[in-house]
Amino acid sequence: QAQPVESGGGLVQAGGSLRLSCVASASTFSINAIGWYRQAPGKQRELVALIRSSGSRNYADSVKGRFTISRDDAKNTVYLQMNRLKPEDTAVYFCNTGLQSWVWGQGTQVTVSS
């Protein structure tokens, strides 16, 4: 089973930007819809962005217009560009397939200060 490795998190002030990366050594990477999920303290994990093999994308309403998901199948990598960050975006961010078929990675912490 593939296990992704997420990176790119950090501490940023409100209004700032971060770019997250997710690499997964899955032979089926290119055919999967892949999503970025996040989990804030005391809350359930939620899907914030999804990109299909066709390139079509979906976003949670809370991040629409601020976050952009993209993928590079040649590098088995998915990115999440996060702009105009808000304190409520603070969470651990994970990537997984749309069906959550990979083993969950460690995630990457994003902290947005006000």
Side-chain angles (χ1 to χ4, degrees):
Q1 243 179 338
Q3 182 172 25
V5 177
E6 301 92 349
S7 63
L11 173 63
V12 64
Q13 288 188 331
S17 298
L18 285 173
R19 189 193 194 205
L20 307 184
S21 298
C22 161
V23 181
S25 57
S27 59
T28 57
F29 185 95
S30 64
I31 68 172
N32 276 309
I34 299 172
W36 278 99
Y37 301 76
R38 68 185 180 188
Q39 187 166 21
K43 295 188 177 181
Q44 286 191 330
R45 191 172 292 166
E46 63 172 345
L47 177 66
V48 296
L50 183 78
I51 185 166
R52 298 174 183 81
S53 57
S54 64
S56 66
R57 303 168 173 89
N58 288 102
Y59 297 94
D61 288 343
S62 59
V63 307
K64 203 170 293 184
R66 301 187 297 120
F67 290 11
T68 302
I69 189 171
S70 61
R71 63 191 295 165
D72 184 341
D73 290 341
K75 296 181 179 179
N76 276 23
T77 302
V78 176
Y79 304 98
L80 186 68
Q81 177 67 43
M82 306 187 296
N83 298 327
R84 304 199 308 276
L85 282 160
K86 303 176 180 180
E88 51 263 45
D89 294 319
T90 294
V92 180
Y93 284 71
F94 305 85
C95 68
N96 209 316
T97 67
L99 297 177
Q100 301 179 24
S101 57
W102 294 340
V103 174
W104 289 98
Q106 294 295 311
T108 186
Q109 175 72 48
V110 172
T111 303
V112 185
S113 63
S114 57

